[in-house]
Amino acid sequence: MVQGAVESYLEELSDLVSFPSISSNPKYKEDVRKCSNFLQEKFADLGAKTEIVETSGHPLVVSDISNYDDALTLAFYGHYDVQPIASPEDWKTDPFTLVEDNGKLYGRGTSDDKGNLLTAVKAAEIALEEDLRLNFQFIIEGEEESGSPNFESGLKKSRDMLDPDVVIVADGGWVSKDIPSIEYGLRGLLYMHWNLRTAGKNAHSGAVGGPARNPLLELFDVVCKCLDSDTGEIKIPEIYDDVKEASSEELEHWIGTKFSVEEFKESYQLEKLRFEDKAKVLKSLWARPTFEVHGCVGGYMERDSKMTLLPSDGQLHVSMRLVPDQDPKMVFEKIRNFVGDKNPDIEVKSVSHVEPYLTDFNSPMVKAAAESLEETFEKPAARIRSGGSIGAVPIMNRVFGGGDIIIMSFGLPEHGAHGPNEYFTKEMAKGGMEAYLNFFESLEGEK
Amino acid sequence: MVQGAVESYLEELSDLVSFPSISSNPKYKEDVRKCSNFLQEKFADLGAKTEIVETSGHPLVVSDISNYDDALTLAFYGHYDVQPIASPEDWKTDPFTLVEDNGKLYGRGTSDDKGNLLTAVKAAEIALEEDLRLNFQFIIEGEEESGSPNFESGLKKSRDMLDPDVVIVADGGWVSKDIPSIEYGLRGLLYMHWNLRTAGKNAHSGAVGGPARNPLLELFDVVCKCLDSDTGEIKIPEIYDDVKEASSEELEHWIGTKFSVEEFKESYQLEKLRFEDKAKVLKSLWARPTFEVHGCVGGYMERDSKMTLLPSDGQLHVSMRLVPDQDPKMVFEKIRNFVGDKNPDIEVKSVSHVEPYLTDFNSPMVKAAAESLEETFEKPAARIRSGGSIGAVPIMNRVFGGGDIIIMSFGLPEHGAHGPNEYFTKEMAKGGMEAYLNFFESLEGEK
């Protein structure tokens, strides 16, 4: 069954990739719309009730194929929008033409998320042909790469059609190519701008330097008070108060996986780490908050040149990845108070936030998914958390009022999601369909 | 005499301003050359021996009018190149057309330095007509706004023509419009790039954040170890070792001037200062070194937007203003050792440096110049230092082997040198000529 589906998978992926559905650029609004229509037709062909849910942004495509009153309902979450093409010159092929080369499927969105998403859709298609006693629903958004700003309102609008027992997020992937992975937790995110203005205009540093304040130096100073940059330990009082420690069982499982610190460094081209102990690396990736500065605006921002003006203002792009049970709003208040105490002239603005998510490491659903991966790929599967954030997950958790949400998907670090020459592989698409089918079979008659 | 000279001053300034002699932009190479030719003709008209000294950059114009073997020789230093037009939209008039409006003379270079320079040239012209027993020399460079990279070699080439007893720098100006000022000292400058790379490429902060190092945070950390940003106090060991303290006499004189901390803040639009005590402000402006960061390159540098990638590398633009007797090269070594000790992965590169300069506060030349200002403007004159740096001054000091160099010029903070709508005033041009003439008269027969 799966072998045959791979052929039509390639055709449909080729169609999907051909839409430049870049959600963050208004220029592509019509292409995003066309891509949503294409999906709706695809689901209609499968016999689904399907709807384009309008939002103030790009539409959500929701579909329901519920043939059994007494069967489990699985909902797949995915997105049909893609990242922009930041450096066209780095692409060896046209980003919006699917090119197959030696099993690799090149094109924007092949890995994130069109190829992953289509793997799930095709698996459901096979399950329907095989009359598996399961119901399928699909929640496909068009603004994931733009931070899912309208996902919650869209989801609430389509609440009548959707009532899943379990949600499978078909976005993301494995920790490395040898470790089939199920993600049962995600970090949250708090994104801030820290602004400080000390003068009406830039000034000659010779004419004012000494008595004049330097906004960049003052911002750096507060950052240093927030963080030990060597260890990554955050020094803001009470910031770890709500952090739920990873259980010893989880930690042991993580350490038992084939995760390799050396491979991790290699795949991200990291020269050395803050620490290289495997347990510490995994814990700090998945179960500890981070504090990062992503950039500093102000003064002179051109590389290798020279300017002696004293900047009149500065802005830091600051983020924190959050872990269960940290509440982004409470964390923000702690930071704002701390920064305000150290330097009352700094304005701390919250730009956006995503809640962390965690389901039970030992949930039967998580275990069943892991077993399906092991069976399919004949390798030990890892139950891990993700260090990243998916805004839709805590939203679905809230709107659906509980139930498991697991991230079961097939992207690999080397696929280069968001970068140039993004690809997915035929092998992962085929394996992914098989794994989903194994998972479906294990769930038949579960209700 | 002076009143008549003001008319021809305006004509000649109009000609000088019409050359877009922007030294930093190769596009204007021919215009810079034309401006140097214009000056050479002007000096030839005054009966000078005059020469265009070729350098690997723009030429130096040197001139000598030595009619008396037994008279003092005064050399004027100035520059005929100008800053680029960074924001043409902010100019109310064409930057390269002199526009007079209510005594204000608008145009690029009117204040810095064409208007100042021409004030000196016209004063010498009057002195020659009056047969004052003085010799005049002129050293006019075309690369001051580009950091005077070829000034030393050009000056050495023209050493045979030049043998001044005193050098008057006709560039810079007063501390404020009510304080006629002579500058007898300058701070030096050390400009550095601090580079740190921790990864081969930017990485997803969710995927690597925790164990991964953040180059911006590590750079900030070392900056915080170098400096107390609240007080401006530099914490690098032995960094103040060679600082020659200002004498109590100097300090008392500075405090006795009409320098106002409030006016200082206002003219540079500084909201508040690190400290507001007048003595401390003046000492830290003129007699203490500074440590500044002018910008940070790396990661996301667009204002008010959002990116969660972890930067793979960072660069800080760092400068120090230095004071007598700090040696830029020795200071650089101290910084490099200190930074290397705190974070050996940071590369500290010296980009350029200028030595500090100081002549004797009580030198007869300094006192005579101050007295000429008092006599002309009927206000107490201040003997001050400059917080800025003029690369040519320590070079002339070295090449001429001592002798006084004083900065006697007529720019005001509000003239907006380097900015849009730069202007000079007829009043300062006229007063400047009178003050120079008074100074000349006080020096007749001094040798």
Side-chain angles (χ1 to χ4, degrees):
Chain A
M1 276 309 275
V2 167
Q3 188 53 50
V6 169
E7 288 313 302
S8 56
Y9 173 92
L10 290 177
E11 277 168 39
E12 289 165 36
L13 183 58
S14 174
D15 287 336
L16 267 174
V17 166
S18 72
F19 301 106
S21 50
I22 301 169
S23 57
S24 59
N25 188 338
K27 194 181 132 189
Y28 297 98
K29 192 163 190 279
E30 237 354 88
D31 297 294
V32 177
R33 168 72 54 178
K34 282 179 191 162
C35 195
S36 73
N37 291 339
F38 175 88
L39 281 169
Q40 194 196 22
E41 282 165 32
K42 167 75 192 164
F43 289 117
D45 286 349
L46 293 181
K49 273 190 292 184
T50 177
E51 197 181 325
I52 301 269
V53 182
E54 300 299 337
T55 71
S56 15
H58 301 296
L60 196 67
V61 183
V62 296
S63 306
D64 173 39
I65 313 173
S66 291
N67 297 326
Y68 306 99
D69 280 347
D70 58 349
L72 272 180
T73 300
L74 312 186
F76 276 104
Y77 164 86
H79 62 94
Y80 65 90
D81 64 324
V82 297
Q83 281 278 323
I85 309 300
S87 52
E89 66 283 7
D90 292 333
W91 281 80
K92 283 179 266 182
T93 60
D94 172 35
F96 299 108
T97 303
L98 187 73
V99 174
E100 185 184 341
D101 180 15
N102 208 12
K104 290 181 178 172
L105 309 168
Y106 289 95
R108 171 55 90 221
T110 46
S111 173
D112 181 14
D113 180 46
K114 290 170 173 175
N116 255 316
L117 171 60
L118 191 61
T119 303
V121 176
K122 299 300 287 183
E125 187 175 332
I126 298 168
L128 291 168
E129 285 166 22
E130 289 185 349
D131 291 324
L132 291 192
R133 291 187 66 82
L134 286 170
N135 299 318
F136 294 100
Q137 299 184 332
F138 294 89
I139 307 161
I140 320 293
E141 75 161 312
E143 299 190 305
E144 197 276 341
E145 300 294 3
S146 299
S148 304
N150 303 294
F151 182 72
E152 183 152 7
S153 60
L155 190 67
K156 283 178 177 164
K157 274 193 198 174
S158 48
R159 187 69 185 87
D160 283 349
M161 195 193 279
L162 304 169
D163 59 340
D165 296 298
V166 57
V167 176
I168 304 165
V169 173
D171 184 19
W174 294 3
V175 64
S176 82
K177 71 176 190 307
D178 295 321
I179 311 178
S181 320
I182 290 297
E183 291 169 337
Y184 61 93
L186 294 160
R187 289 198 284 196
L189 180 66
L190 169 63
Y191 198 88
M192 293 165 280
H193 290 146
W194 291 12
N195 300 310
L196 177 59
R197 176 172 284 282
T198 57
K201 58 180 182 186
N202 292 346
H204 189 297
S205 66
V208 303
R213 297 165 62 193
N214 181 327
L216 303 186
L217 292 174
E218 292 190 18
L219 286 165
F220 296 178
D221 179 63
V222 177
V223 166
C224 290
K225 286 171 176 152
C226 287
L227 186 83
D228 181 326
S229 66
D230 288 339
T231 61
E233 199 69 13
I234 306 166
K235 299 190 281 186
I236 301 167
E238 299 171 14
I239 204 83
Y240 291 102
D241 274 7
D242 298 322
V243 169
K244 180 177 181 166
E245 294 299 330
S247 71
S248 54
E249 195 191 358
E250 279 176 281
L251 276 171
E252 263 169 48
H253 175 80
W254 297 346
I255 298 165
T257 65
K258 289 174 71 186
F259 177 92
S260 145
V261 173
E262 272 315 305
E263 267 177 42
F264 169 73
K265 282 163 63 180
E266 237 168 74
S267 60
Y268 292 104
Q269 297 183 23
L270 305 173
E271 287 174 12
K272 65 187 182 197
L273 302 177
R274 283 175 170 153
F275 32 77
E276 312 229 343
D277 172 71
K278 183 173 173 178
K280 206 166 174 191
V281 166
L282 290 173
K283 199 174 158 186
S284 74
L285 267 180
W286 296 338
R288 300 293 287 177
T290 63
F291 182 103
E292 305 289 3
V293 171
H294 301 284
C296 170
V297 183
Y300 203 59
M301 293 177 286
E302 208 169 301
R303 197 176 292 271
D304 287 336
S305 207
K306 183 190 152 177
M307 185 205 70
T308 56
L309 282 176
L310 195 72
S312 57
D313 78 320
Q315 178 179 72
L316 293 182
H317 292 260
V318 183
S319 86
M320 277 188 67
R321 296 276 171 185
L322 304 175
V323 296
D325 292 322
Q326 291 184 298
D327 173 351
K329 288 180 186 168
M330 280 177 62
V331 169
F332 174 69
E333 285 308 315
K334 283 176 190 170
I335 294 175
R336 191 165 60 176
N337 290 339
F338 182 78
V339 174
D341 186 49
K342 300 299 167 197
N343 191 327
D345 295 337
I346 296 175
E347 178 204 35
V348 179
K349 270 182 73 171
S350 172
V351 176
S352 66
H353 67 263
V354 170
E355 287 159 45
Y357 174 75
L358 188 66
T359 190
D360 184 0
F361 171 75
N362 282 317
S363 123
M365 226 28 108
V366 172
K367 285 186 159 171
E371 278 160 23
S372 309
L373 287 177
E374 289 193 0
E375 191 184 331
T376 310
F377 293 97
E378 297 175 341
K379 283 174 189 163
R383 285 173 282 164
I384 64 173
R385 301 199 202 172
S386 166
S389 314
I390 303 179
V393 171
I395 292 170
M396 290 189 291
N397 189 43
R398 196 163 51 238
V399 172
F400 295 142
D404 284 313
I405 303 181
I406 57 176
I407 298 122
M408 184 178 186
S409 53
F410 301 92
L412 296 178
E414 55 265 41
H415 290 169
H418 293 202
N421 305 309
E422 175 180 354
Y423 68 94
F424 197 54
T425 63
K426 248 158 87 166
E427 195 187 341
M428 288 306 275
K430 183 164 172 284
M433 285 185 240
E434 284 170 356
Y436 282 138
L437 280 167
N438 283 332
F439 184 47
F440 298 162
E441 282 163 12
S442 74
L443 297 182
E444 264 202 296
E446 280 283 320
K447 189 142 187 168
Chain B
M1 276 312 274
V2 167
Q3 188 53 49
V6 169
E7 289 312 304
S8 57
Y9 173 93
L10 290 177
E11 276 169 39
E12 288 165 36
L13 183 59
S14 175
D15 287 336
L16 267 173
V17 166
S18 73
F19 300 106
S21 49
I22 302 170
S23 57
S24 60
N25 188 337
K27 196 180 129 188
Y28 296 98
K29 193 166 189 280
E30 241 351 272
D31 297 294
V32 177
R33 167 73 55 178
K34 283 180 191 161
C35 195
S36 73
N37 292 339
F38 175 88
L39 280 169
Q40 194 196 23
E41 283 166 31
K42 168 74 191 162
F43 288 116
D45 287 349
L46 293 182
K49 273 190 291 184
T50 178
E51 197 180 327
I52 301 269
V53 181
E54 300 299 335
T55 73
S56 13
H58 301 296
L60 195 68
V61 183
V62 295
S63 307
D64 174 39
I65 313 173
S66 291
N67 297 324
Y68 307 98
D69 282 347
D70 57 348
L72 272 181
T73 300
L74 312 185
F76 276 103
Y77 164 86
H79 63 93
Y80 64 91
D81 64 324
V82 296
Q83 281 279 325
I85 308 300
S87 51
E89 67 281 8
D90 292 333
W91 282 79
K92 283 179 268 180
T93 59
D94 172 35
F96 300 108
T97 303
L98 186 74
V99 173
E100 185 185 342
D101 181 15
N102 208 11
K104 290 180 177 172
L105 309 169
Y106 289 95
R108 171 56 87 221
T110 46
S111 173
D112 182 14
D113 180 44
K114 290 170 173 176
N116 256 316
L117 171 60
L118 192 60
T119 303
V121 175
K122 298 300 286 184
E125 188 175 332
I126 299 169
L128 291 167
E129 285 168 21
E130 290 184 349
D131 291 324
L132 292 190
R133 290 188 67 81
L134 286 170
N135 300 318
F136 293 100
Q137 301 185 331
F138 294 89
I139 308 162
I140 320 293
E141 75 161 313
E143 299 190 304
E144 197 275 342
E145 300 294 4
S146 298
S148 304
N150 303 294
F151 182 72
E152 183 153 5
S153 61
L155 190 66
K156 282 178 177 163
K157 275 194 198 174
S158 48
R159 188 68 184 85
D160 283 348
M161 194 192 282
L162 304 169
D163 59 341
D165 296 299
V166 58
V167 176
I168 304 165
V169 173
D171 184 19
W174 294 3
V175 65
S176 82
K177 69 177 190 308
D178 295 322
I179 312 179
S181 321
I182 290 298
E183 291 170 336
Y184 62 94
L186 293 160
R187 288 198 286 196
L189 180 67
L190 169 63
Y191 199 89
M192 293 166 280
H193 290 145
W194 292 12
N195 300 309
L196 177 60
R197 175 172 286 281
T198 57
K201 58 180 183 188
N202 291 346
H204 189 297
S205 65
V208 303
R213 298 165 62 194
N214 181 327
L216 304 187
L217 292 173
E218 292 190 17
L219 286 165
F220 295 178
D221 179 62
V222 177
V223 166
C224 290
K225 286 172 177 150
C226 288
L227 185 83
D228 180 325
S229 66
D230 288 339
T231 61
E233 198 69 13
I234 305 166
K235 299 190 280 186
I236 301 166
E238 299 172 15
I239 205 81
Y240 290 102
D241 275 7
D242 298 323
V243 169
K244 180 178 182 167
E245 295 299 330
S247 71
S248 53
E249 196 191 356
E250 279 175 282
L251 276 171
E252 264 168 48
H253 175 79
W254 297 347
I255 298 165
T257 65
K258 289 173 72 184
F259 177 92
S260 144
V261 173
E262 273 315 305
E263 267 176 42
F264 169 73
K265 283 164 63 181
E266 236 168 74
S267 59
Y268 293 104
Q269 297 184 23
L270 305 173
E271 289 175 11
K272 65 186 180 195
L273 302 177
R274 284 174 170 154
F275 33 77
E276 312 228 343
D277 171 71
K278 182 173 173 180
K280 207 166 173 190
V281 166
L282 289 173
K283 198 174 158 185
S284 74
L285 267 180
W286 296 337
R288 301 293 287 177
T290 62
F291 182 104
E292 305 288 3
V293 170
H294 301 283
C296 170
V297 184
Y300 203 60
M301 292 176 286
E302 208 168 302
R303 196 176 291 269
D304 287 336
S305 206
K306 185 189 151 176
M307 184 204 73
T308 57
L309 282 175
L310 195 71
S312 57
D313 77 320
Q315 178 179 71
L316 293 183
H317 292 261
V318 183
S319 85
M320 277 189 67
R321 296 275 171 184
L322 304 176
V323 296
D325 293 321
Q326 291 184 299
D327 173 351
K329 288 181 185 166
M330 280 177 61
V331 169
F332 174 70
E333 284 309 316
K334 284 177 190 168
I335 294 175
R336 191 165 61 178
N337 291 339
F338 183 79
V339 174
D341 185 50
K342 300 300 167 196
N343 191 327
D345 295 338
I346 296 176
E347 178 204 34
V348 180
K349 270 182 72 173
S350 172
V351 176
S352 66
H353 67 263
V354 170
E355 288 158 43
Y357 174 75
L358 188 66
T359 191
D360 184 1
F361 170 74
N362 282 316
S363 124
M365 229 24 113
V366 172
K367 285 186 160 174
E371 278 161 23
S372 308
L373 286 178
E374 290 192 359
E375 192 184 331
T376 310
F377 292 96
E378 297 176 342
K379 283 174 189 164
R383 285 174 281 164
I384 64 172
R385 301 199 201 172
S386 165
S389 314
I390 302 178
V393 171
I395 292 171
M396 291 190 290
N397 189 42
R398 197 163 50 238
V399 172
F400 295 142
D404 283 314
I405 304 180
I406 57 176
I407 297 121
M408 185 180 186
S409 53
F410 301 92
L412 296 178
E414 55 265 40
H415 289 169
H418 294 202
N421 306 308
E422 176 179 353
Y423 68 94
F424 197 54
T425 63
K426 247 159 85 167
E427 194 188 342
M428 288 306 274
K430 184 163 171 283
M433 285 184 240
E434 284 170 356
Y436 283 137
L437 280 168
N438 282 333
F439 184 45
F440 298 162
E441 282 164 13
S442 74
L443 297 181
E444 263 201 298
E446 278 283 321
K447 190 143 187 168

